Amino acid sequence: MMSASAECPTCRAPTPAAARFCMQCGAPLGDAPPPGERRQLTVVFCDLVGSTELSNRLDVERLREVITDYQQACVESIERMGGHVAQYLGDGILAYFGYPSAAEDDVERALRAALDIQAGLQRVSPTRLGARPSARIGVDTGPVVVAEIGSGARRERAALGATLNIAARLQSIATPGTIVASDQTLAHVPGLFVTSDLGRHALKGIDEPVHVHRIDRVAGVRHRLDVTALTPLVGRGQEIDDLFARWTRTAGGEGQLVLVSGDAGIGKSRLVRAFRDRLATAPHTWLDGYCAPRTAGSAFHPVIELISRGFGFAEGDSPTQRLDRLERSLDLPDLDLPRIVPRLARLLSLPPSRRFPLDDGSPEHEREQTLAALADMFLALATLQPVLLTLEDLHWCDPLDARTAAATHRASRRDSRDDRDHRPSDVSPRLGGVGVYHRPRAADGRGNPRAGHRRHRGGGAARRGRRADRRARRRHPVVR
């Protein structure tokens, strides 16, 4: 007897009536859910403290306003750091970092978001409560399966796995206003956060005790290599010599711009660190900026961080104190303070300067003037002693950050040529720039973004030579 059959709505192929998936194209049939997706996920579970007591004290309309303020503060912090709000669980919020899109710094973003939530809740008006809302936050990282759950009209994609349970249990043991994270989470961000060890805790429903930590604040570490035990650098002598040759020309008054590119993990940052160690005894000023996925859409972010750090802005400084420090720090030879101070103050979100008022122009004009002000500031520093400016992870930089580096380089080359005859050599601008860029690999794995558009050049020997060159470039960072 022939079994009943049906037709796949996608490819029209005949399929058995009991099949859940098409045997030809694999499409789900009938009510069959799509297959789950296994991912590494960082889960943030945030819960409002004292919500039951609030529901007894407040009118339901007032309670809705309080919970709305709390949720808004949480969601703003989560989305600012690139997280995904998965569920609203009454007065709780469940957020994912690593889904629907993943990034290399998902764990760091999740912990920064948790700290930002706690800081944001401190800014919520206390008038509706008599006190500011407070939250407990738990964070865990681990494997999950993201799949469709529910039935009928109530379907949604959700993460399933022990990671969510652990995050919820960690939230329950946190004290009000604190963040608790598992040891597994902190293993992904060693040294980037100041933490307090809370020991091992037996969590309900979890077989083994979990080692947990309280997240106190960001450590202020500028680069992951600052907290990593470095092994000796081997086989990079030629690249170090190339960088040093460019530095020699920079110290002689001829500005240089160098791009260090290569595949992920090949040692680009380690190469720049070794070059920095080689320059340790030479008089120079080293300025470093860092681009990251979480700041890819934030114009001038690495420059703002660099200036804030270089001018010694402290976390507790008021905007007026920072403006005073900015004006004092920019008191350098040949620097046009009335033009530069007001634009840098606005870039740093500082109040307008009384000494140097800003004449507003069109947005395009102000953007160009801000780029020129940054270039002039770096050049003024370079008249004191040679300056080397580095930008890490350029593939995450905003276009305006790249334009800042390019404008500074052009100004340094132009200034060195124009002033070579009448400016003493010991005060010529001596500014060099190093950009560290991850060269993405193409789908064919050859690092060639134009694979599929091949042109045959030369015979077999020439092609073999080019293949050997490509293999060498994948083993070594490219300095150019």
Side-chain angles (χ1 to χ4, degrees):
M1 177 182 292
M2 295 289 292
S3 62
S5 64
E7 187 180 77
C8 172
T10 302
C11 68
R12 304 300 181 186
T15 58
R20 299 176 59 192
F21 298 91
C22 175
M23 301 176 66
Q24 184 68 28
C25 69
L29 302 174
D31 294 331
E37 180 182 3
R38 185 182 180 94
R39 301 181 74 109
Q40 177 86 354
L41 203 64
T42 298
V43 177
V44 177
F45 198 100
C46 181
D47 187 63
L48 179 65
V49 174
S51 58
T52 302
E53 181 185 358
L54 290 176
S55 64
N56 292 326
R57 287 173 45 199
L58 301 178
D59 178 76
V60 289
E61 293 290 341
R62 184 63 61 85
L63 178 65
R64 181 191 64 82
E65 295 175 355
V66 171
I67 292 181
T68 298
D69 288 345
Y70 153 75
Q71 289 179 339
Q72 183 177 354
C74 294
V75 172
E76 286 177 356
S77 298
I78 291 167
E79 293 183 345
R80 187 183 303 118
M81 291 297 170
H84 169 67
V85 178
Q87 286 180 311
Y88 293 95
L89 306 171
D91 57 353
I93 293 178
L94 180 65
Y96 301 157
F97 287 81
Y99 178 84
S101 60
E104 59 189 22
D105 60 345
D106 282 327
V107 177
E108 180 184 355
R109 291 199 212 195
L111 294 177
R112 285 181 176 271
L115 289 169
D116 199 47
I117 287 172
Q118 299 291 17
L121 291 177
Q122 294 301 311
R123 296 189 292 268
V124 173
S125 173
T127 55
R128 293 172 178 167
L129 283 174
R132 290 185 175 86
S134 180
R136 292 188 294 260
I137 301 178
V139 185
D140 189 43
T141 303
V144 301
V145 170
V146 180
E148 189 173 276
I149 61 174
S151 60
R154 295 285 297 175
R155 286 187 176 182
E156 61 179 338
R157 288 187 70 80
L160 306 172
T163 302
L164 285 85
N165 298 329
I166 294 175
R169 299 304 182 195
L170 292 177
Q171 172 272 135
S172 67
I173 66 173
T175 56
T178 65
I179 305 158
V180 172
S182 64
D183 197 48
Q184 187 171 356
T185 296
L186 287 185
H188 294 273
V189 286
L192 298 186
F193 295 88
V194 176
T195 64
S196 300
D197 193 334
L198 301 181
R200 299 179 70 83
H201 284 250
L203 305 179
K204 183 179 179 180
I206 308 300
D207 294 338
E208 297 292 333
V210 177
H211 197 168
V212 300
H213 305 260
R214 187 181 69 231
I215 308 299
D216 296 327
R217 58 183 172 86
V218 177
V221 175
R222 288 184 285 174
H223 196 274
R224 61 185 180 277
L225 293 182
D226 294 335
V227 292
T228 303
L230 301 179
T231 57
L233 192 68
V234 178
R236 296 289 186 260
Q238 181 61 53
E239 289 81 4
I240 292 288
D241 290 343
D242 289 344
L243 288 172
F244 195 78
R246 296 297 188 100
W247 174 252
T248 301
R249 296 171 66 179
T250 299
E254 184 180 354
Q256 299 290 304
L257 185 63
V258 179
L259 178 67
V260 179
S261 63
D263 294 334
I266 202 172
K268 303 179 293 296
S269 298
R270 181 68 179 90
L271 173 66
V272 174
R273 180 57 57 94
F275 174 57
R276 181 175 185 173
D277 293 341
R278 181 168 175 176
L279 292 182
T281 58
H284 71 283
T285 300
W286 186 288
L287 304 174
D288 43 15
Y290 300 97
C291 308
R294 61 185 172 83
T295 61
S298 179
F300 295 115
H301 184 273
V303 177
I304 292 172
E305 273 197 342
L306 186 153
I307 294 175
S308 301
R309 190 170 59 245
F311 289 161
F313 292 170
E315 186 174 349
D317 288 348
S318 68
T320 303
Q321 291 174 320
R322 294 188 176 192
L323 179 61
D324 292 340
R325 187 182 295 272
L326 175 69
E327 293 178 353
R328 292 195 305 269
S329 301
L330 290 176
D331 190 11
L332 299 171
D334 301 328
L335 205 56
D336 185 4
L337 295 184
R339 181 176 61 86
I340 292 175
V341 169
R343 288 178 171 84
L344 293 188
R346 184 158 64 177
L347 179 66
L348 298 170
S349 301
L350 300 179
S353 172
R354 294 182 178 179
R355 292 176 55 197
F356 309 109
L358 176 65
D359 296 328
D360 286 329
S362 66
E364 295 78 9
H365 173 77
E366 287 305 310
R367 181 168 58 248
E368 295 302 323
Q369 288 298 312
T370 300
L371 291 171
L374 290 169
D376 289 348
M377 179 191 67
F378 291 131
L379 289 175
L381 291 173
T383 61
L384 304 178
Q385 64 178 1
V387 171
L388 197 149
L389 170 65
T390 66
L391 282 177
E392 286 269 359
D393 294 332
L394 275 176
H395 49 287
W396 294 117
C397 80
D398 183 87
L400 282 176
D401 300 324
R403 288 187 61 186
T404 301
T408 304
H409 173 60
R410 287 195 301 269
S412 69
R413 298 297 295 267
R414 181 178 63 250
D415 202 62
S416 63
R417 289 195 300 268
D418 294 345
D419 294 350
R420 191 171 293 160
D421 295 333
H422 64 271
R423 176 180 279 182
S425 61
D426 59 340
V427 295
S428 298
R430 294 160 292 176
L431 178 68
V434 176
V436 181
Y437 174 76
H438 161 53
R439 182 178 63 234
R441 297 177 69 86
D444 65 351
R446 298 178 182 176
N448 178 11
R450 299 193 62 180
H453 298 273
R454 302 177 186 171
R455 288 179 290 179
H456 296 285
R457 301 174 184 171
R463 289 195 295 273
R464 286 192 295 273
R466 289 195 295 272
R467 286 196 293 269
D469 290 341
R470 286 197 296 269
R471 287 194 295 270
R473 286 197 297 269
R474 288 199 292 270
R475 290 192 297 269
H476 295 266
V478 178
V479 178
R480 62 180 185 274

